[in-house]
Amino acid sequence: MIDFFQHFSPITQALIATLFTWGMTALGASLVFATKSINQRLMDSMLGFAGGVMIAASYWSLLGPAIELSVDNAIGNWFPAAFGFLLGGVFLWGIDKVLPHLHPNTPVEEAEGIHQKKRKRSTLLVLAITLHNIPEGLAVGIAFGALANGGTEASLAGAITLALGIGIQNFPEGVAVSMPLRAEGMSRTKSFQYGQFSGMVEPIAAVIGAFAVSFIEPLLPYALSFAAGAMIFVVAEEVIPSSQEKGNKDLASMSLMVGFVLMMILDVALG
């Protein structure tokens, strides 16, 4: 797989990787063609698993490298990671307050954002996962964009691992959008289209992230930690609460730990 990616520029690598993560979202959404509903315990465990993958990716693939790249920082090697991390959280918090969206497992009356009551449930669900996918796409793009500044084979492996981890956790995201819509009577085709559409933003965000850090090297540690902060905000504000709202707290928590460990193993073994 590394040999395949080495034939392309970092921006193209990021695009290819996020086409895969988008495809995993579509694969999850395609379950509507097999069933009209999915067991709530399974759904909550998948959401918990997704949260674990995102938390692990935030450190192993983003914050850790950001700290390593900041050894010559005048303030301290902790500063770019700390500043970028908090900035990423604040950025997502701002979008969260503006963009109308509805978290999985949440009644439409509890939708968030501006003018949310004027939106259909389907639109709100798609917007929620789209919000979720922006930092994921940025993270993959930044990881591959970093290779333009003298990345090694190990850093390429780390970027591929990040894309694999995000792709794995995108599967339940597609399910989380398409299944509720199918259960409410929407056709299989439309439910699938809405579910996979939420992943479309990842290739766009990835190209933007890769392009930015490819040409502005000093931004790299800040960009890596920014993506990490944005992902952790999503996990804390959306993924974990959604996985536990139906009473499956222990199952969701253990699934989160499994997701974390799997991503950690992938990153350490491959990266």
Side-chain angles (χ1 to χ4, degrees), residues 34-100:
T35 181
K36 189 174 182 177
S37 61
I38 190 168
N39 182 274
Q40 188 62 51
R41 286 174 58 83
L42 177 59
M43 175 65 76
D44 291 343
S45 66
M46 287 195 297
L47 286 171
F49 177 87
V53 169
M54 293 177 71
I55 292 172
S58 295
Y59 176 73
W60 296 99
S61 298
L62 299 170
L63 279 177
I67 293 171
E68 292 177 6
L69 289 169
S70 304
V71 291
D72 296 326
N73 186 273
I75 299 176
N77 63 343
W78 55 268
F79 179 76
F83 181 82
F85 183 84
L86 292 175
L87 186 62
V90 171
F91 176 76
L92 258 290
W93 173 81
I95 294 179
D96 186 74
K97 295 301 179 185
V98 175
L99 184 70

Side-chain angles (χ1 to χ4, degrees), residues 73-243:
N73 186 273
I75 299 176
N77 63 343
W78 55 268
F79 179 76
F83 181 82
F85 183 84
L86 292 175
L87 186 62
V90 171
F91 176 76
L92 258 290
W93 173 81
I95 294 179
D96 186 74
K97 295 301 179 185
V98 175
L99 184 70
H101 63 283
L102 178 68
H103 297 170
N105 294 335
T106 304
V108 70
E109 294 79 14
E110 297 181 15
E112 300 176 6
I114 297 174
H115 304 308
Q116 71 275 15
K117 295 181 180 179
K118 298 180 181 180
R119 310 280 180 169
K120 294 181 179 179
R121 178 180 177 84
S122 57
T123 303
L124 291 168
L125 279 170
V126 172
L127 289 173
I129 303 301
T130 299
L131 174 65
H132 188 158
N133 286 344
I134 290 172
E136 295 173 6
L138 281 173
V140 174
I142 291 166
F144 280 101
L147 303 175
N149 298 313
T152 64
E153 186 172 292
S155 57
L156 175 58
I160 293 172
T161 301
L162 176 63
L164 284 173
I166 289 177
I168 290 169
Q169 65 91 38
N170 273 5
F171 182 86
E173 290 180 6
V175 177
V177 175
S178 61
M179 282 301 179
L181 299 179
R182 177 60 183 154
E184 292 175 4
M186 184 177 287
S187 70
R188 286 184 171 89
T189 301
K190 283 190 174 181
S191 297
F192 167 75
Q193 289 174 342
Y194 276 115
Q196 64 84 29
F197 181 79
S198 62
M200 188 182 298
V201 70
E202 288 194 2
I204 299 171
V207 170
I208 293 172
F211 184 83
V213 299
S214 293
F215 293 97
I216 312 176
E217 184 176 356
L219 280 181
L220 185 54
Y222 295 93
L224 287 166
S225 52
F226 177 92
M231 285 213 292
I232 291 297
F233 179 88
V234 169
V235 172
E237 200 270 342
E238 176 187 338
V239 178
I240 292 177
S242 295
S243 71

